[in-house]
């Protein structure tokens, strides 16, 4: 009789390994993407499961498997790998499928000592909530794999010693826009929204000092 394998989740809980869950993630990552298949990613992953393996380890293997399939003939695997990396990033930062409120994310990251507490002095709770409603988190999926990986590796706020990320792209773009217009008085929320749109739609490429210094 085969020994059961248990997987350690990000929240520390342990659950029985399920191949069906992996297939569902891969099916989601390849859905409506031409010229790709979730079976090919699964076969390329060469997953070697062992008891006590983390879900983060599994996601990393799937991302690498999809990325290794990117070629001139199969260029759309760049979007599969991007979706998988976004999926893993959201699990890490959001703790699930749904994003936290912008205000709550900022407060949490101040407590983590990765954001300046002055951010809460620049805008009221009501203004935070209005800007939160304007966030378009689906724009994260417009990145190619190379684009989202570069953002994760170099620009999103993180603890590099333990490789822990604290924000997703749309939160980062919104906070950069908020920082730009923090000293404006009239119509600043409209200016923040316009800037966020330009940044998140990649109509303006932000220089490194601005992205890393927000």
């Amino acid at each position: 009789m085969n020994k059961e394998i248990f997987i350690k989740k990000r929240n520390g809980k342990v659950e029985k390994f399920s191949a069906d869950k992996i297939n569902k993630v891969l099916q989601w990552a390849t859905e409506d993407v031409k010229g790709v298949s979730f079976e090919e990613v699964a076969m390329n992953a060469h997953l070697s499961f062992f008891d006590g393996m983390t879900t983060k380890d599994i996601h990393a293997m799937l991302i690498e498997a999809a990325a290794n399939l990117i070629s001139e003939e199969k260029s759309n695997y760049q979007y599969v790998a991007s979706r998988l990396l976004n999926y893993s990033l959201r699990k890490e930062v959001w703790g699930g499928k749904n994003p936290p409120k912008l205000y709550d994310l900022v407060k949490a990251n101040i407590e983590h000592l990765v954001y300046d507490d002055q951010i809460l002095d620049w805008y009221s709770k009501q203004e935070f909530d209005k800007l939160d409603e304007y966030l378009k988190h689906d724009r994260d999926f417009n990145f190619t794999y190379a684009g989202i990986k570069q953002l994760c590796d170099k620009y999103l706020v993180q603890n590099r010693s333990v490789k822990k990320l604290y924000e997703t792209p749309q939160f980062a773009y919104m906070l950069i826009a908020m920082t730009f217009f923090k000293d404006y008085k009239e119509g600043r929320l409209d200016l923040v929204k316009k800037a966020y749109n330009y940044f998140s739609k990649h109509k303006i490429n932000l220089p490194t000092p601005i992205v890393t210094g927000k």
Side-chain angles (χ1 to χ4, degrees):
M1 183 176 179
N2 292 333
K3 181 183 177 181
E4 289 186 337
I5 295 176
F6 289 87
I7 303 298
K8 187 175 182 181
K9 301 180 70 174
R10 293 176 191 269
N11 60 11
K13 293 182 178 179
V14 175
E15 67 176 28
K16 187 177 177 181
F17 168 74
S18 171
D20 287 340
K21 286 189 176 181
I22 292 177
N23 286 333
K24 285 180 181 179
V25 170
L26 291 179
Q27 286 171 345
W28 164 80
T30 55
E31 186 178 3
D32 299 324
V33 182
K34 294 182 179 180
V36 303
S37 72
F38 81 89
E39 294 95 343
E40 191 169 16
V41 179
M43 288 176 62
N44 195 53
H46 301 302
L47 296 173
S48 178
F49 299 108
F50 55 88
D51 198 41
M53 189 177 191
T54 67
T55 53
K56 189 172 183 177
D57 291 333
I58 294 173
H59 290 155
M61 289 180 182
L62 297 178
I63 294 164
E64 184 179 10
N68 287 340
L69 289 169
I70 299 170
S71 65
E72 286 189 23
E73 296 77 21
K74 298 180 179 181
S75 61
N76 280 348
Y77 274 109
Q78 66 184 314
Y79 299 109
V80 177
S82 173
R83 285 183 183 181
L84 290 168
L85 182 49
N86 268 301
Y87 180 92
S88 181
L89 176 62
R90 289 180 174 197
K91 284 282 189 179
E92 182 173 350
V93 177
W94 298 359
K97 294 181 180 180
N98 299 315
K101 294 292 186 181
L102 176 62
Y103 184 82
D104 293 338
L105 178 98
V106 169
K107 284 196 69 175
N109 283 343
I110 289 171
E111 293 175 4
H112 291 311
L113 304 178
V114 294
Y115 281 2
D116 193 314
D117 61 6
Q118 288 185 341
I119 299 173
L120 295 180
D121 296 328
W122 297 343
Y123 294 86
S124 68
K125 172 68 162 51
Q126 185 179 23
E127 288 175 315
F128 267 97
D129 289 343
K130 285 182 178 179
L131 292 172
D132 181 79
E133 292 175 1
Y134 199 73
L135 283 164
K136 307 291 189 294
H137 290 288
D138 282 350
R139 290 179 184 171
D140 289 348
F141 296 113
N142 293 335
F143 282 99
T144 62
Y145 174 67
I148 187 64
K149 190 172 189 308
Q150 183 180 53
L151 205 63
C152 290
D153 290 346
K154 296 183 178 180
Y155 301 121
L156 295 181
V157 169
Q158 60 191 278
N159 181 331
R160 297 186 184 280
S161 62
V162 295
K163 297 182 179 180
K164 166 69 176 174
L165 288 153
Y166 292 95
E167 60 186 9
T168 49
Q170 300 310 309
F171 282 128
Y173 288 138
M174 181 60 80
L175 287 165
I176 292 170
M178 291 171 71
T179 302
F180 273 154
F181 296 105
K182 64 184 177 64
D183 295 324
Y184 282 62
K185 302 300 180 184
E186 297 295 327
R188 68 171 179 169
L189 291 193
D190 288 334
L191 292 170
V192 170
K193 290 176 183 179
K194 286 179 181 178
Y196 164 74
N197 263 333
Y198 282 122
F199 302 155
S200 63
K201 290 182 177 180
H202 307 146
K203 292 183 177 180
I204 293 179
N205 290 321
L206 292 164
T208 297
I210 290 176
V211 182
T212 56
K214 62 182 176 301

